[in-house]
Amino acid sequence: MLTRKQHELLLFIHERLKESGIPPSFDEMKDALDLASKSGIHRLITALEERGFIRRLPNRARALEVLRLPDSIAPGLNSAKKFSPSVIQGSLGRTPEPSRLHTAGNDAAAAISVPVMGRIAAGVPISAIQNQTHTISVPPEMLRGGEHYALEVKGDSMIEAGIFDGDTVIIRDGSTATPGDIVVALVDDEEATLKRFRRKGDSIALEAANPAYETRIFGPDRVKVQGRLVGLIRRY
């Protein structure tokens, strides 16, 4: 039996993983559950792990995997949860979608080629997105309508969102974003960076997922969204 807060946290993690394949940060979990500090989140995660609902993935900063949901919510999930540790699955009253996190080399026969447009800084911004360098094979279920492109991640500012140096991110091309989305942002038409999109009044905040990096605040005319993160590919 889960407490109300444990139940709320489990569903929040599950929904975020299903949407983007990337677990929420501890700050996001704290805000979502309206807790005063991250220590409460640590206790809830430990309790969920001890009860077999989630697992902390080794060698990944705060990366989580949902193993099962309460029977009252997803009775079919618990009886068929044999899947690779790098693939996050689940359902909450909807048809389960494959994870947005994949390891390279799987599903090659059905893969779709996506252009790789260079490297994107997940730390200090670098030059704007380059021209296409090569293509990468992406599982078709990772793509949702529209145009997509890929970027190789350089830097460590998004590690608490499960994005590491050397990963390849799949981006859905677009110029709009919802607060909380991880986006490719073009600053002053010359710096491209991968950050979480926030709004601070009339300004735009580009938020890192690493306490070593400060959130950068810009006027709305200085930032252009170039696309939203929809998937991630990691090579081992």
Side-chain angles (χ1 to χ4, degrees):
M1 179 68 67
L2 297 179
T3 66
R4 181 173 62 86
K5 287 295 186 184
Q6 290 167 358
H7 189 274
E8 290 176 356
L9 180 60
L10 178 61
L11 294 189
F12 179 65
I13 295 170
H14 170 70
E15 285 297 295
R16 179 59 63 84
L17 287 171
K18 188 165 60 173
E19 289 173 2
S20 67
I22 300 172
S25 68
F26 275 44
D27 281 325
E28 289 173 323
M29 291 186 247
K30 175 178 69 69
D31 293 343
L33 271 67
D34 196 26
L35 296 181
S37 70
K38 289 188 285 188
S39 62
I41 295 297
H42 282 281
R43 289 192 292 271
L44 291 172
I45 285 182
T46 298
L48 289 172
E49 188 174 31
E50 290 174 348
R51 288 162 175 77
F53 287 95
I54 64 173
R55 179 173 65 177
R56 279 180 269 209
L57 302 179
N59 304 318
R60 304 186 195 178
R62 298 182 182 176
L64 302 171
E65 177 186 16
V66 174
L67 297 175
R68 65 190 182 97
L69 295 176
D71 290 334
S72 60
I73 295 177
L77 179 65
N78 300 336
S79 61
K81 57 181 179 63
K82 293 182 179 179
F83 48 87
S84 168
S86 63
V87 178
I88 303 159
Q89 297 177 328
S91 63
L92 186 60
R94 297 195 292 269
T95 302
E97 296 182 6
S99 166
R100 300 300 177 206
L101 171 62
H102 286 256
T103 53
N106 294 331
D107 304 321
I112 295 174
S113 292
V114 170
V116 178
M117 304 301 291
R119 306 180 98 186
I120 184 75
V124 179
I126 59 174
S127 299
I129 300 169
Q130 304 168 7
N131 295 325
Q132 177 178 339
T133 58
H134 58 286
T135 62
I136 189 171
S137 295
V138 175
E141 63 267 21
M142 188 181 285
L143 308 178
R144 298 178 177 177
E147 297 294 324
H148 295 77
Y149 59 91
L151 293 165
E152 296 174 352
V153 174
K154 177 69 174 178
D156 63 355
S157 80
M158 298 302 289
I159 57 174
E160 291 188 2
I163 304 172
F164 301 96
D165 184 68
D167 286 347
T168 299
V169 290
I170 308 301
I171 306 297
R172 181 180 180 180
D173 192 21
S175 60
T176 60
T178 300
D181 287 345
I182 295 176
V183 303
V184 174
L186 187 63
V187 179
D188 295 332
D189 289 324
E190 61 181 25
E191 297 177 343
T193 189
L194 185 71
K195 291 293 184 292
R196 196 173 296 280
F197 178 88
R198 302 286 190 191
R199 288 198 178 275
K200 300 285 186 180
D202 293 331
S203 299
I204 291 174
L206 299 180
E207 179 184 275
N210 182 335
Y213 295 84
E214 294 183 353
T215 297
R216 304 175 73 204
I217 310 294
F218 300 94
D221 58 333
R222 296 183 60 192
V223 177
K224 295 178 181 177
V225 173
Q226 304 289 290
R228 181 174 62 85
L229 177 73
V230 297
L232 183 147
I233 295 176
R234 178 169 299 144
R235 296 183 183 275
Y236 291 95

